[in-house]
Amino acid sequence: MVSYKELGLVNTREMFAKAIKGGYAIPAFNFNNMEQLQAIIKASAETKSPVILQVSKGARNYANQTLLRYMAQGAVEYAKELGWEKPQICLHLDHGDSFELCKSCVDFGFSSVMIDASSLPYEENIALTKKVVDYAHQYDVTVEAELGVLAGVEDEVSSAVSHYTKPEEVVDFATRTGCDSLAISIGTSHGAYKFTPEQCTRDPKTGKLVPPPLAFDVLDAIMEQLPGFPIVLHGSSSVPQEYVDMINQYGGKLPDAVGIPEEQLRKAAKSAVCKINIDSDSRLAFTAAVRKVFAEKPGEFDPRKYCGPARDLMEELYKHKIINVLGSDGKA
Ligand code: G3H
Ligand code: 13P
Ligand code: ZN
């Protein structure tokens, strides 16, 4: 058993309290590899933004849990080397799907875990979430839970349609589980295809898809029920058109990819939404940069020559999100 405190990590409690008061949101960036981690830490250190490093079950299997733990510990030291005196870095399990997985992460030095039992019937969601909370809180590890269903893939859970969170359930759920934050469904979804073309309208000038707006009325009703309670938005990539165009220009095929407009995320960040999850945008930036190098320099075979530009582009993306979308710069 290793405590996250020994690794120099922090849980989400203070981060979220400050974010709600300050009207900004903490970036939760997923990572699977060294280049993503370097880019996240560099962007956070240079902007002095608190940050949540997110690891999904799939990422944990991909990168190896032991290696990941040391990578997170290394990230704290790297941040200090970059001149960030007191790094505010949280290591969080994204979409944990069982008590055993959450326990293993708590025991391995994670400072926060998500138990995503949102696909289970309501009472079962409560029971499993409470079990995780009871264990995690013994070690001062914070717990995110989810109520409502997002369309798209949630690790191994997938749903074709979303079911908005029911505001009338949130007080009962938060009280009975003791969770520290709540992921809700208000129209975001995972991946680079958040809406079908039929769900969107088309901009007559550009021909690009315009997605339907998020259900801010549902968010408002939830905030009214749970004043000051930390709310989390998953599936919040914007799917920047420039990356999609770059990918398509250099041999990729991502037709009609569409995300959440950044103005809507900005608006959400000013409310009780204090954690915004972004993964797909980083994948798109990485892929766009790698495809460009491969297309322009077909003789290149040193991974540093294509992973390096990918890292630079991701760093630029993370900084942009921190400064222009979440407003978390200068808050750590
Ligand atoms: O919510 C899903 C995250 O983007 C993680 O995705 O399960 O493919 O690692 P993954
Ligand atoms: P995106 O697929 O929109 O990046 O969402 C990521 C996410 O919610 C991770 O939990
Ligand atoms: Zn998610």
Side-chain angles (χ1 to χ4, degrees):
M1 168 103 203
V2 59
S3 164
Y4 68 87
K5 293 175 187 174
E6 292 162 35
L7 310 184
L9 299 163
V10 298
N11 69 18
T12 58
R13 198 165 290 124
E14 201 179 310
M15 273 187 186
F16 288 171
K18 284 186 182 164
I20 293 182
K21 263 198 193 142
Y24 61 92
I26 312 287
F29 297 132
N30 290 67
F31 82 101
N32 300 268
N33 61 42
M34 183 186 76
E35 284 78 10
Q36 276 180 314
L37 184 59
Q38 287 174 316
I40 295 169
I41 297 301
K42 235 174 144 212
S44 308
E46 283 178 17
T47 57
K48 294 283 183 299
S49 167
V51 70
I52 296 173
L53 299 173
Q54 286 200 144
V55 176
S56 69
K57 183 179 172 182
R60 197 163 177 261
N61 291 340
Y62 177 80
N64 178 276
Q65 58 174 5
T66 307
L67 199 48
L68 264 179
R69 181 201 130 181
Y70 286 99
M71 283 171 83
Q73 193 171 0
V76 175
E77 295 310 313
Y78 178 45
K80 288 183 192 161
E81 248 176 54
L82 292 171
W84 193 6
E85 273 172 39
K86 283 193 181 160
Q88 295 290 297
I89 301 174
C90 165
L91 179 64
H92 174 78
L93 168 68
D94 191 24
H95 294 287
D97 61 356
S98 67
F99 172 77
E100 290 70 26
L101 176 59
C102 293
K103 177 181 182 303
S104 166
C105 286
V106 170
D107 296 351
F108 245 84
F110 280 57
S111 55
S112 176
V113 292
M114 175 189 194
I115 175 68
D116 179 1
S118 60
S119 61
L120 298 180
Y122 183 70
E123 287 298 330
E124 288 176 42
N125 185 352
I126 289 188
L128 180 51
T129 301
K130 182 172 168 19
K131 189 173 172 188
V132 170
V133 169
D134 287 347
Y135 184 77
H137 279 184
Q138 291 178 70
Y139 304 98
D140 206 17
V141 169
T142 40
V143 179
E144 175 184 327
E146 182 168 325
L147 201 48
V149 178
L150 273 70
V153 181
E154 293 196 345
D155 233 329
E156 272 132 46
V157 185
S158 129
S159 170
V161 284
S162 65
H163 303 284
Y164 291 162
T165 305
K166 294 182 185 142
E168 63 274 22
E169 287 181 348
V170 297
V171 173
D172 181 61
F173 185 86
T175 312
R176 285 171 62 198
T177 61
C179 65
D180 300 282
S181 59
L182 186 64
I184 60 164
S185 172
I186 56 164
T188 61
S189 77
H190 293 101
Y193 294 90
K194 300 193 184 299
F195 306 98
T196 61
E198 294 72 43
Q199 292 172 304
C200 303
T201 51
R202 268 196 202 269
D203 183 324
K205 278 192 202 136
T206 60
K208 302 287 180 205
L209 293 173
V210 180
L214 297 180
F216 280 100
D217 54 332
V218 176
L219 173 61
D220 287 343
I222 291 169
M223 291 191 301
E224 210 175 292
Q225 293 292 319
L226 282 178
F229 194 81
I231 303 295
V232 177
L233 280 192
H234 281 248
S236 297
S237 277
S238 307
V239 188
Q241 195 59 45
E242 59 193 285
Y243 300 155
V244 174
D245 288 346
M246 240 170 113
I247 290 172
N248 291 338
Q249 178 189 347
Y250 294 113
K253 205 172 178 187
L254 292 179
D256 286 340
V258 60
I260 310 295
E262 288 185 339
E263 317 81 71
Q264 293 189 37
L265 297 170
R266 242 193 117 57
K267 181 175 167 187
K270 289 181 180 158
S271 71
V273 170
C274 56
K275 172 174 179 273
I276 293 191
N277 288 11
I278 296 169
D279 186 2
S280 298
D281 284 354
S282 161
R283 296 178 183 196
L284 290 166
F286 197 116
T287 304
V290 169
R291 277 197 178 278
K292 184 168 189 287
V293 176
F294 283 172
E296 290 177 347
K297 298 177 188 162
E300 192 52 75
F301 69 100
D302 178 346
R304 291 170 297 187
K305 297 285 167 42
Y306 49 86
C307 288
R311 187 173 61 189
D312 292 346
L313 197 58
M314 289 188 292
E315 187 188 328
E316 196 183 292
L317 164 82
Y318 295 134
K319 278 188 187 153
H320 163 70
K321 295 287 179 185
I322 287 170
I323 296 169
N324 302 316
V325 183
L326 307 177
S328 58
D329 52 309
K331 303 295 196 296

